[in-house]
Amino acid sequence: MKKLSFLLVFAALFTFSCTKEDVVANEASSSLAGEWRWVSSTGGIAGTTTTPTSAGYELKLVLTSDFKFSRYKSAVLEKSGTYQITQAKSIYKAEPVDFIKFSDGTSLAIMSQTANELSLADNNYDGFSEVYQRIKK
């Protein structure tokens, strides 16, 4: 009986301690659709900034309105799959923020977005933020 009550308490704690992510299909997903050129990454313990010039390569992120993504490094496809927009707790703000959750397991907080610029950040202390510029066709 003690084992059963222990398992029930453990199961309840596990169930209620998990972080909730709400899948959101809103205007954010349609405004993200397009091709994005990497401008810079900043962060880490040293607070370094990396650009295409300093890294020696270019990155491109393609997001489609039907929730597919492709990541290119120097015009070579590195990863592709699906993505979803979720809302979850972050280290950056008290209220939940939108995240892009990729099918490869990567999840990035949407820090800011304008018509032509997208700022993403991992949800880690001493992590990195990335700035992208929309590629106009």
Side-chain angles (χ1 to χ4, degrees):
M1 184 68 176
K2 281 186 177 183
K3 286 183 184 180
L4 179 60
S5 15
F6 175 76
L7 288 175
L8 287 174
V9 170
F10 180 75
L13 287 174
F14 180 75
T15 301
F16 294 111
S17 68
C18 293
T19 307
K20 182 181 180 196
E21 285 187 349
D22 294 324
V23 176
V24 181
N26 57 17
E27 66 277 351
S29 58
S30 61
S31 64
L32 286 172
E35 296 185 3
W36 299 91
R37 178 181 58 82
W38 173 59
V39 175
S40 66
S41 295
T42 303
I45 293 172
T48 59
T49 297
T50 306
T51 64
T53 302
S54 65
Y57 57 83
E58 294 182 353
L59 298 174
K60 181 170 78 168
L61 175 63
V62 179
L63 301 170
T64 66
S65 58
D66 61 347
F67 301 99
K68 294 183 179 154
F69 81 93
S70 302
R71 287 189 206 144
Y72 296 86
K73 184 175 181 179
S74 297
V76 176
L77 178 65
E78 282 200 321
K79 292 186 180 186
S80 64
T82 59
Y83 73 94
Q84 42 181 243
I85 305 299
T86 62
Q87 278 200 335
K89 187 176 178 181
S90 81
I91 62 170
Y92 303 106
K93 297 181 181 178
E95 66 275 358
V97 299
D98 287 342
F99 280 80
I100 302 176
K101 188 174 183 180
F102 298 98
S103 58
D104 69 355
T106 308
S107 187
L108 297 170
I110 302 172
M111 300 307 298
S112 67
Q113 180 190 3
T114 65
N116 296 315
E117 189 172 280
L118 176 64
S119 178
L120 305 173
D122 57 26
N123 200 31
N124 301 313
Y125 295 105
D126 293 326
F128 280 84
S129 62
E130 302 171 346
V131 176
Y132 291 86
Q133 225 171 27
R134 189 181 295 275
I135 298 171
K136 296 180 183 180
K137 296 227 172 194

